[in-house]
Amino acid sequence: MSELAFFGHIIDGVEVESESGARFDVWNPWTREVWAQAAEGTAADAERAIASSRKAFDEGPWPRMGRVERAAAIHRLADLMEERADEIARLDTTNMGKPFAQAKHDVARSVWNFRFFADHQRDHVGEVFPMDSGHHSYSEFGPAGVVAAISPWNFPLMMASWKIAPAIAWGNTCIIKPSEDTPASVTYLGRLAIEAGFPPGVLNVINGYGAPAGSTLTGDDRVDRVTFTGSSQTGKMVMASAATHLAPVSLELGGKGANIVFADADLDNAVYWAVEAIFRNAGQICLAGSRLFVQSSIYDEFMTRFVAAAEKLVIGDPFDPATQFSSLASKRHFDKVASYVESAQALGGRVLTGGVAEDGSWVVRPTIIDGLALDAAPYCEEIFGPVCVVNRFEDEAQAVHLANDTRYGLNAMLFTENLSRAHRVASKLRAGTVWVNCFFIRDLRTPFGGVGDSGVGREGGNFSREFFTEPKAVVMQIDRKG
Ligand code: NAD
């Protein structure tokens, strides 16, 4: 066991074992071997991290630092991430099986999250309201306190950085709990924060399972904000736990994204993005285009091209530069996705391509299914894998109706060359993000979040500022009346 890598907790500027000494195994889903161990956090470990971040907030320099100095510290961390990009990407690829080129892309986006929020905080513009009464008032955005951040396994570093970056940029201290499936890159980030000279407690990392490690964080009244990305089911538990001490929550949850292709679309572009939207990261993307709606008049032609493009994806070892698609992130997740594919077939769905690899690997090949009833579980529920369910529509109204017929509302895509249709349909879709003729492109100033079961609240730009600060109104007399 001694050759296994180890990922401890980062508490108060030091990497430590759990107080109990307990560890859990960390798997490589491509080789199906244990390659590392991580500290298994107990309630006592989480409480130590909370105490450390509380002290760092109440007494430490971070919230009291000037905004320029704090931004510079965060840029130092981003510099280190850039220097070690290969090493970090290797951790995510080993830990969850995503192709190395995609992991490198995730590191670059994570670096950008830190740089963006560092600058956003440094350069933000306040508001002043002149009042007719002889006063003026202005708003001030002070840090909220201790932030508990809980992240999933599909983009281990990127999802965590999306939460940590705005939290610490606005002067909060933060405790991150990565998914138990993917502790590696976030722990590494915690090590880099020490190296970048962050004061102890500004960024603590607690490894371990949802309960007790995560649930201790969300339920503790020394925590002032809870930001969570994960499944809708867990999101409800997190919200209930945070409600016991009235901590505001931001929940980024599951999705079942609609991808609508109109007959007037540029089909090359639409096929390219339809493949990206459901097969990138082996479909393990909350924003995946997992429900595809194609206009009847082009259905056959589009499907022939889409199926051919899916079959061209190179499946293999995620470290092979030729690989575009690899295994699912864990055995548990493989079993879940495989059971949806089986139930789709049992429910009368036609598998146009793909299916479960029968070679003992944890691969589900790029899978496209049509012919499912609108209430069939694989059609309605989030599968979170490389499984696209397809349906046809006759006109714009039917496309919008089908797309909106879901409890989720994270995102949607639409493909058309008709400008008026693009705006009209985008505005009718019940979703937090709508992409027109593209997918996965983000501007960090815009709101990000979901409707219905896809989440509560928005993050990004000023939306993150509002969540991670306590906005305050200051009213000031200018003219003494009477
Ligand atoms: P999950 O809900 O199982 O776990 C997410 C995190 O919550 C993990 O760190 C887990 O340990 C922790 N957790 C579990 N129980 C907890 C509890 N009781 N208290 C506190 N923390 C707890 O989700 P997952 O399987 O890791 O991730 C996949 C899900 O995440 C999918 O539904 C996907 O759509 C969603 N997701 C959403 C977004 C978004 O931005 N909306 C982005 C990525 C993933």
Side-chain angles (χ1 to χ4, degrees):
M1 294 298 253
S2 59
E3 74 280 9
L4 296 180
F6 176 67
F7 299 96
H9 310 300
I10 308 276
I11 302 178
D12 223 33
V14 183
E15 185 164 353
V16 292
E17 292 264 7
S18 284
E19 267 182 15
S20 66
R23 294 174 166 201
F24 61 94
D25 288 339
V26 181
W27 288 77
N28 174 331
W30 175 250
T31 62
R32 304 190 298 287
E33 286 165 350
V34 172
W35 69 284
Q37 289 196 317
E40 184 180 330
T42 59
D45 298 311
E47 279 166 10
R48 259 194 310 153
I50 296 168
S52 150
S53 288
R54 187 74 256 168
K55 186 157 185 278
F57 185 80
D58 292 340
E59 299 167 25
W62 191 255
R64 290 155 195 90
M65 202 178 264
R67 61 202 165 81
V68 174
E69 196 185 345
R70 201 160 54 223
I74 295 172
H75 278 292
R76 257 196 321 275
L77 174 64
D79 292 342
L80 288 175
M81 291 169 72
E82 261 170 359
E83 275 172 29
R84 317 278 170 81
D86 278 6
E87 208 168 330
I88 303 174
R90 262 198 299 279
L91 294 177
D92 271 355
T93 293
T94 309
N95 203 169
M96 62 81 61
K98 69 172 67 205
F100 185 66
Q102 292 180 23
K104 282 285 293 273
H105 178 83
D106 293 356
V107 176
R109 280 180 74 153
S110 306
V111 167
W112 181 238
N113 284 340
F114 281 105
R115 295 204 189 284
F116 171 84
F117 285 109
D119 294 350
H120 184 253
Q121 172 274 153
R122 186 192 58 205
D123 301 336
H124 90 281
V125 178
E127 303 152 317
V128 179
F129 305 93
M131 298 167 72
D132 290 345
S133 58
H135 301 75
H136 77 204
S137 59
Y138 60 90
S139 35
E140 198 184 86
F141 297 93
V146 176
V147 173
I150 297 178
S151 55
W153 48 261
N154 60 333
F155 290 92
L157 182 73
M158 197 167 99
M159 289 291 107
S161 66
W162 172 244
K163 302 183 166 309
I164 298 166
I168 62 174
W170 285 101
N172 303 288
T173 57
C174 181
I175 307 153
I176 175 88
K177 194 205 85 62
S179 166
E180 56 273 31
D181 289 326
T182 53
S185 57
V186 174
T187 307
Y188 192 91
L189 179 73
R191 293 173 189 162
L192 290 187
I194 298 173
E195 204 176 322
F198 278 29
V202 169
L203 179 60
N204 284 326
V205 180
I206 282 290
N207 279 308
Y209 295 98
S215 55
T216 302
L217 298 180
T218 58
D220 193 299
D221 65 5
R222 291 168 293 175
V223 166
D224 301 289
R225 290 289 184 277
V226 174
T227 173
F228 170 82
T229 299
S231 64
S232 306
Q233 201 187 351
T234 311
K236 289 174 193 168
M237 290 195 278
V238 165
M239 190 167 185
S241 170
T244 59
H245 56 110
L246 293 179
V249 293
S250 170
L251 304 177
E252 296 182 345
L253 308 177
K256 189 83 176 175
N259 185 4
I260 308 170
V261 182
F262 287 97
D264 58 16
D266 170 339
L267 289 198
D268 288 338
N269 189 50
V271 169
Y272 172 82
W273 285 117
V275 168
E276 276 288 296
I278 184 61
F279 300 132
R280 187 186 178 85
N281 209 34
Q284 302 163 117
I285 303 189
C286 52
L287 302 159
S290 48
R291 292 179 304 145
L292 174 67
F293 302 104
V294 183
Q295 197 152 17
S296 281
S297 59
I298 57 158
Y299 189 84
D300 290 341
E301 183 190 352
F302 185 85
M303 291 310 293
T304 303
R305 292 167 70 163
F306 181 43
V307 166
E311 288 175 351
K312 262 211 233 132
L313 289 171
V314 179
I315 305 175
D317 180 340
F319 280 109
D320 182 336
T323 295
Q324 295 168 296
F325 184 100
S326 194
S327 64
L328 294 170
S330 65
K331 173 76 165 71
R332 182 169 42 96
H333 194 54
F334 167 78
D335 288 341
K336 176 186 157 187
V337 175
S339 84
Y340 270 113
V341 174
E342 279 155 26
S343 91
Q345 284 168 297
L347 291 166
R350 274 196 315 153
V351 177
L352 304 179
T353 186
V356 178
E358 305 289 353
D359 55 2
S361 71
W362 298 345
V363 171
V364 172
R365 296 194 306 271
T367 301
I368 302 173
I369 301 176
D370 77 355
L372 281 169
L374 299 189
D375 61 355
Y379 181 90
C380 307
E381 294 171 10
E382 182 185 47
I383 298 175
F384 211 56
V387 181
C388 186
V389 298
V390 192
N391 205 340
R392 60 178 82 208
F393 64 89
E394 299 303 325
D395 57 22
E396 204 176 292
Q398 193 189 8
V400 170
H401 175 75
L402 286 168
N404 286 344
D405 186 18
T406 172
R407 292 187 60 77
Y408 292 109
L410 190 58
N411 65 298
M413 283 70 76
L414 67 104
F415 290 85
T416 176
E417 292 298 300
N418 179 321
L419 182 64
S420 313
R421 190 201 306 281
H423 287 294
R424 203 165 48 232
V425 174
S427 107
K428 286 184 182 153
L429 289 169
R430 194 173 154 273
T433 299
V434 176
W435 278 291
V436 179
N437 294 336
C438 61
F439 169 70
F440 216 47
I441 313 293
R442 292 282 316 283
D443 182 322
L444 302 188
R445 294 169 296 186
T446 58
F448 181 79
V451 176
D453 277 5
S454 289
V456 173
R458 296 291 183 274
E459 293 189 31
N462 285 347
F463 298 88
S464 294
R465 177 185 69 183
E466 249 85 304
F467 181 71
F468 289 110
T469 62
E470 286 292 0
K472 178 187 291 174
V474 180
V475 183
M476 183 157 180
Q477 187 183 64
I478 303 294
D479 287 332
R480 203 176 299 269
K481 293 273 160 66

